[in-house]
Amino acid sequence: MKKIVTILGARPQFVKGAVLSRIISRHNVVNEVIVHTGQHFDKNMSDVFFEEMNIPKPKYNLAINSLSHGAMTGKMLEKIEAILLDEKPDVVVVYGDTNSTIAGALAAKKLHIKVVHIEAGLRSFNMQMPEEINRILTDRIANLLSCPTNTAVQNLKNEGFQNFENKIEKHGDIMKDAVTYYSQFSEEKSSILKDLGVKSSSFVLATIHREENTNDIKKLRNIFEALENIHQEKEVVVPLHPRTKKILQEHHISPKIKCIEPVGYFDMLELLKHCYLVITDSGGLQKEAFFNKKYTIIVREETEWLELVENNFAIIVGNDFNKINEAYQAVNPLKIDFTKELYGDNVGEKIYKSIITLIDN
């Protein structure tokens, strides 16, 4: 039987990986080996996703985390290379733009193993972002570039990728499949609304974790002060990333909002379904918000998901206190028409078929 090695390391990758793993299992013509790098290691950021979403247990857990970018990527590269030499897969699948992504792609490519990059072609055009570097380099060495949007395809063409030895395909956003499938079960599986004592449309959901915000204490203060201000009008619920929590504690910042521990996927789906709107610096959550018909205020200077902004489903405000509050006051998210299709359907099946074609060729 042919073999796929899938590299996972961070929350969004677990969500996307769950979709493809379910399809691989259903077809039962290739064997999947999952490698968990350990980049997200907190139980609420990792284990709960494997348990809730029935993702096959990783054969390998590398437990590599809490290191500098260089140390983390280097250790991952070393460990993944050893695994690939033992497993001898036909294809290595990587997702997104993390250190796990680039380490997996590099290890595979140097061993002459075909690489599939899911969520290829995204660009923020901000080379200060570690994620931007990871995604560009991964795209350059991947054999199959699975793009979620027309913009992603065009980005690759603008950079001359049609002249390289790779296959560029627009499949759509695999996260759409995850939201569609798991939303069927989230209400039954989650008690988060009851536990928090919140009702539908009575709260704002916010997440802050990007280094561009957390590593600049002035920016971080601005964002949380804006959230506090909004909280006076409508409750703000923040599942707090462990690193963000640590930085807030180190600087003795105690925001007067409802900060909670990171939540599992079913809890997050219920929070998304029932929140008033979303404030985030997460790329993945911008789309998950859209899939759940929620407006997003993006606390970054740019976004990879331009179609959300161009179609007025989101607004970019950066870390400016006034802009965050003005955006909140200016929009009535309950009157926005979310029926427009942006990210395709049945995406996982399309990606799977392209992977099988790549293996067979």
Side-chain angles (χ1 to χ4, degrees), residues 152-172:
V153 173
Q154 191 59 50
N155 286 338
L156 293 174
K157 290 181 177 179
N158 291 345
E159 295 170 19
F161 273 74
Q162 69 270 32
N163 300 313
F164 304 150
E165 292 183 2
N166 55 45
K167 182 78 171 175
I168 301 171
E169 297 188 6
K170 180 197 167 188
H171 292 128

Side-chain angles (χ1 to χ4, degrees), residues 155-329:
N155 286 338
L156 293 174
K157 290 181 177 179
N158 291 345
E159 295 170 19
F161 273 74
Q162 69 270 32
N163 300 313
F164 304 150
E165 292 183 2
N166 55 45
K167 182 78 171 175
I168 301 171
E169 297 188 6
K170 180 197 167 188
H171 292 128
D173 189 342
I174 197 168
M175 197 172 275
K176 169 81 175 296
D177 285 14
V179 170
T180 301
Y181 180 77
Y182 290 104
S183 287
Q184 304 172 77
F185 317 110
S186 60
E187 184 176 357
E188 174 190 347
K189 300 284 188 180
S190 171
S191 62
I192 188 73
L193 300 181
K194 181 179 178 181
D195 295 343
L196 295 178
V198 294
K199 296 180 180 179
S200 194
S201 296
S202 71
F203 65 97
V204 170
L205 177 63
T207 69
I208 308 297
H209 78 279
R210 289 230 181 235
E211 288 188 8
E212 62 197 83
N213 288 322
T214 59
N215 288 358
D216 186 321
I217 197 60
K218 183 178 178 181
K219 291 181 179 179
L220 197 61
R221 284 186 188 277
N222 284 346
I223 292 168
F224 275 94
E225 285 175 3
L227 294 178
E228 282 189 296
N229 191 62
I230 293 169
H231 187 73
Q232 295 176 30
E233 180 177 323
K234 193 176 287 287
E235 190 165 31
V236 175
V237 176
V238 182
L240 203 54
H241 192 287
R243 184 162 50 81
T244 308
K245 181 179 181 180
K246 181 181 178 183
I247 294 170
L248 291 173
Q249 290 173 341
E250 287 174 350
H251 291 273
H252 307 290
I253 301 173
S254 302
K256 297 179 178 63
I257 55 181
K258 188 183 284 289
C259 291
I260 62 175
E261 292 297 312
V263 297
Y265 193 58
F266 290 130
D267 284 343
M268 181 58 81
L269 281 177
E270 285 301 294
L271 289 173
L272 282 166
K273 283 182 188 178
H274 294 282
C275 70
Y276 177 68
L277 56 74
V278 173
I279 300 175
T280 190
D281 59 8
S282 163
L285 199 63
Q286 293 171 37
K287 292 173 296 136
E288 288 177 302
F290 172 73
F291 299 144
N292 284 281
K293 300 178 171 53
K294 294 297 153 58
Y295 187 82
T296 302
I297 296 172
I298 303 168
V299 285
R300 288 172 55 193
E301 300 300 330
E302 67 282 310
T303 181
E304 297 79 11
W305 306 100
L306 294 174
E307 57 282 342
L308 292 176
V309 177
E310 291 169 352
N311 288 282
N312 298 315
F313 299 122
I315 185 172
I316 298 171
V317 296
N319 57 80
D320 185 277
F321 173 90
N322 291 324
K323 288 183 179 179
I324 295 170
N325 281 281
E326 287 167 5
Y328 170 77
Q329 294 295 338

